[in-house]
């Protein structure tokens, strides 16, 4: 299993980083975890092919995690000439939210005919969903987005890759990441309790009972970026756009 960080920034461009988007290669397929507005910019920087991705999983319906789907669908139609099916899986209401965002930004774009199949899967809390060779279990977290916000636990090739999405600390983040080979955790600040987000001091306090083998700290705001050199835990890896990890 190989994870490529396409974007690991927050919603505000902190550190000049692109918005959240992870590209995963596993079990002979590829999938995305989140698709922030800058996803295609990251794909172009890294030489990745949008048409080679059959499935996109979305953690929650904030623009820095799903708005890139607007441009993704435009690219599929006008540039990539995509002919292969695309499945988008995310919280209940994802299709309506994407339609509204698409029609607001590029009127007529969502309604227009497309040459590839497009299907939506609504993920239900703590129900395992299998799409191709990838199984995902969503855990509801604490982060208001107008729909349930999820942490996502992926299993493929006998490996576990988990992602907190955005969230304040909540107990569901323990089973979401328990024993994961890699737990991608949003770490907005170094310490304290930022509203609807987590800090490194909070994460560090829970790591032993979650038990991940490695932790990738991501979605860092300026304050956390300035202190990232103070993270000393050997399990912790600091995200960078373009970083590639073998899991
Ligand atoms: Zn975010
Ligand atoms: Zn968010």
């Amino acid at each position: 299993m190989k994870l490529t960080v396409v974007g690991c920034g927050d919603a505000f461009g902190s550190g000049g980083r692109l918005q959240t988007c992870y590209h995963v290669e596993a079990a002979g397929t590829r999938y995305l975890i989140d698709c922030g507005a800058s996803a295609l910019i990251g794909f172009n920087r890294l030489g990745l092919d949008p048409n080679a991705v059959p499935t996109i999983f979305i953690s929650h319906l904030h623009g820095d995690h799903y708005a890139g789907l607007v441009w993704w669908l435009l690219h599929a139609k006008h540039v990539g000439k995509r002919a292969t099916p695309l499945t988008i899986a995310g919280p209940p209401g994802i299709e309506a939210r994407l339609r509204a965002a698409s029609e607001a930004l590029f009127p007529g774009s969502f309604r227009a005919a497309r040459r590839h199949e497009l299907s939506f899967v609504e993920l239900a809390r703590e129900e395992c969903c299998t799409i191709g060779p990838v199984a995902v279990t969503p855990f509801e977290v604490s982060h208001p987005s107008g729909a349930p916000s999820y942490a996502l636990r992926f299993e493929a090739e006998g490996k576990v890759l988990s992602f907190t999405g955005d969230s304040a600390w909540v107990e569901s983040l323990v089973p979401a990441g328990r024993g994961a080979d890699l737990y991608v955790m949003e770490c907005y600040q170094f310490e304290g309790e930022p509203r609807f987000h987590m800090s490194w001091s909070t994460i560090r306090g829970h790591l032993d009972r979650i038990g991940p083998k490695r932790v990738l700290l991501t979605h860092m705001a300026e304050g956390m970026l300035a202190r990232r050199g103070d993270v000393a835990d050997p399990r912790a890896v600091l995200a960078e756009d373009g970083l590639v990890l073998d899991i």
Side-chain angles (χ1 to χ4, degrees), residues 60 64-65 166 219:
H60 70 290
D64 58 317
H65 296 258
D166 288 356
H219 206 276

Side-chain angles (χ1 to χ4, degrees), residues 16-59:
R17 293 164 173 231
L18 300 183
Q19 294 178 5
T20 300
C21 183
Y22 298 94
H23 178 272
V24 183
E25 294 168 56
T29 190
R30 296 167 183 231
Y31 61 93
L32 280 198
I33 306 172
D34 282 352
C35 189
S38 51
L40 283 182
I41 300 169
F43 260 64
N44 278 296
R45 279 185 189 171
L46 296 170
L48 295 170
D49 178 9
N51 284 358
V53 176
T55 314
I56 301 177
F57 296 94
I58 300 295
S59 66

